[in-house]
């Protein structure tokens, strides 16, 4: 007897598959193509991947981009990007829901889905001064936004201040928003997206008391706020923010002696900061200058970290032990980014200009 499965059951089954299989299954029938392309299914697949910690890739950036499945960390394959220039170099400005914001040496920027190979080039914005970027999702408008904080002033004893500009997929143009009376601290780092906001460690404020302040930009309201920090036990030499399991985290470097990784379990609540683990200099090879948390293992008992841009290691939260990761084909030094494999589309409903929608979504 022939079994007829409901579309809801088919969608639930398909939502557990990797994107590369779903792209092939679009050819099965018009019905399946319509189902897989439906925004509700795309969101279902996205939520399942986030909840189950599956369908994540690790991207290594050296001269080229290389990618591998996060679950097995290998083999790494070269990843062709859409912003080829004369030296082929590209910087990753941020990652969100399977989309990457990338920039090349001539300041071209694009939002790109490496899984579907679709991309959208952003309007050019000349930023001759120093700046940091950020990329994330506005959950209220269901829009993806790129943010540039451009440093202004600071010479001849003047206070440091920054101009902030935003470009969203729906508007497809740069616009100025609320300025902020501070600049990025050293080392310069792009914004970290968590809980609907981008986060930076900023310094030389006019009205804020902390020497280094965690500042958040709410992407829905486009307003800045200060994020309360943990109660550190000793002097901080370097402070970095990150995201781990969807939660905002802080890497507090106490010189060469120790590094603490704090996780904010309840966003915005100071009392919810918890030390996930501490690392002493004898726990890793080399210095403790830079640690970047990347992801939990699927079972949640290990954390993958980038160390000084030269090696990766898993830290076992139960055994309190670090194990180096090495895969053939890995470059000697690199920057890392975790990217979800998703079907998230760049075909958002855009505000019309002169009665026309002149969006040009491209495919590699």
């Amino acid at each position: 007897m022939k079994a007829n499965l409901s579309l809801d059951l088919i969608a639930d089954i398909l939502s557990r598959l990797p994107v590369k299989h779903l792209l092939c299954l679009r050819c099965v029938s018009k019905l399946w193509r319509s189902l897989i392309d439906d925004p509700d299914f795309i969101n279902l697949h996205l939520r399942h991947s986030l909840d189950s910690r599956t369908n994540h890739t690790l991207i290594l950036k050296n001269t080229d981009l290389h990618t591998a499945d996060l679950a097995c960390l290998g083999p790494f394959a070269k990843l062709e990007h859409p912003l080829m220039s004369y030296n082929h170099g590209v910087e990753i400005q941020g990652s969100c829901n399977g989309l990457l914001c990338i920039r090349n040496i001539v300041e071209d920027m694009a939002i790109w889905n490496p899984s579907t190979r679709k991309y959208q080039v952003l309007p050019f914005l000349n930023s001759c001064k120093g700046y940091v970027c950020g990329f994330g999702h506005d959950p209220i408008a269901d829009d993806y936004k790129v943010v540039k904080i451009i440093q202004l002033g600071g010479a001849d004893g003047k206070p440091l201040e920054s101009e902030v500009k935003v470009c969203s997929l729906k508007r497809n143009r740069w616009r100025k928003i609320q300025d902020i009376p501070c600049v990025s601290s050293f080392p310069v780092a792009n914004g970290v997206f968590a809980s609907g906001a981008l986060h930076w460690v900023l310094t030389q404020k006019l009205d804020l008391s902390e020497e280094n302040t965690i500042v958040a930009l709410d992407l829905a309201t486009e307003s800045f706020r200060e994020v309360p920090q943990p109660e550190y036990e000793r002097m901080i030499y370097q402070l970095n923010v990150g995201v781990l399991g969807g939660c905002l985290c802080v890497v507090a470097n106490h010189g060469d002696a120790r590094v603490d990784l704090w996780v904010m379990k309840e966003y915005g609540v100071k009392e919810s900061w918890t030390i996930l683990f501490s690392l002493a200099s004898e726990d890793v090879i080399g210095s403790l200058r830079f640690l970047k948390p990347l992801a939990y293992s699927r079972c949640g008992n290990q954390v993958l970290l980038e160390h000084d841009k030269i090696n990766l290691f898993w830290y076992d939260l139960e055994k309190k032990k670090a194990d180096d990761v090495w895969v053939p084909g890995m470059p000697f030094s690199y920057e890392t980014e975790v990217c979800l494999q998703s079907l998230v589309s760049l075909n958002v409903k855009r505000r019309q200009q002169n009665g026309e929608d002149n969006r040009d979504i491209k495919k590699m």
Side-chain angles (χ1 to χ4, degrees), residues 317-362:
L317 298 173
E318 297 173 355
K319 298 179 181 179
K320 301 186 184 303
K321 179 184 176 183
D323 291 316
D324 285 342
V325 174
W326 185 83
V327 179
M330 288 176 63
F332 175 74
S333 63
Y334 46 80
E335 297 176 5
T336 55
E337 192 70 50
V338 173
C339 183
L340 190 68
Q341 299 174 40
S342 82
L343 293 164
V344 170
S345 173
L346 299 174
N347 290 306
V348 296
K349 292 182 179 179
R350 183 183 158 196
R351 291 190 177 187
Q352 293 185 347
Q353 299 177 358
N354 300 323
E356 296 179 347
D357 186 352
N358 57 2
R359 171 168 298 281
D360 183 18
I361 303 296
K362 301 179 179 66

Side-chain angles (χ1 to χ4, degrees), residues 19 22-23 36 41-42 45 113 115-116 341-345:
V19 170
L22 293 173
L23 295 177
I36 293 170
F41 175 78
I42 292 173
H45 182 267
N113 186 327
S115 298
T116 63
Q341 299 174 40
S342 82
L343 293 164
V344 170
S345 173

Side-chain angles (χ1 to χ4, degrees), residues 138-157:
D138 173 356
I140 304 301
D142 191 21
D143 197 5
Y144 289 88
K145 296 180 177 181
V146 180
V147 178
K148 276 191 177 184
I149 301 180
I150 305 167
Q151 180 176 333
L152 302 172
D156 300 325

Side-chain angles (χ1 to χ4, degrees), residues 225-336:
R225 63 175 179 269
E226 183 179 350
V227 177
Q229 295 190 43
E231 293 291 341
Y232 306 114
E233 296 178 357
R234 57 174 70 182
M235 181 179 176
I236 304 296
Y237 288 89
Q238 183 176 311
L239 189 68
N240 296 299
V241 289
V243 62
L244 196 56
C247 294
L248 183 68
C249 62
V250 161
V251 180
N253 191 314
H254 305 281
D256 291 330
R258 195 182 81 188
V259 171
D260 297 330
L261 179 63
W262 295 77
V263 176
M264 188 177 240
K265 296 297 183 71
E266 186 177 350
Y267 184 74
V269 179
K270 180 181 177 68
E271 293 74 21
S272 71
W273 281 112
T274 304
I275 291 185
L276 187 64
F277 63 83
S278 297
L279 278 177
S281 56
E282 59 268 21
D283 295 327
V284 296
I285 299 175
S287 71
L288 289 173
R289 288 174 299 173
F290 180 83
L291 283 179
K292 179 181 178 180
L294 296 172
Y296 286 107
S297 60
R298 188 169 181 181
C299 57
N301 64 342
Q302 292 181 309
V303 177
L304 181 67
L305 298 108
E306 173 197 325
H307 176 219
D308 285 348
K309 300 185 180 181
I310 57 173
N311 74 298
L312 302 171
F313 66 87
W314 286 104
Y315 184 80
D316 192 303
L317 298 173
E318 297 173 355
K319 298 179 181 179
K320 301 186 184 303
K321 179 184 176 183
D323 291 316
D324 285 342
V325 174
W326 185 83
V327 179
M330 288 176 63
F332 175 74
S333 63
Y334 46 80
E335 297 176 5
T336 55

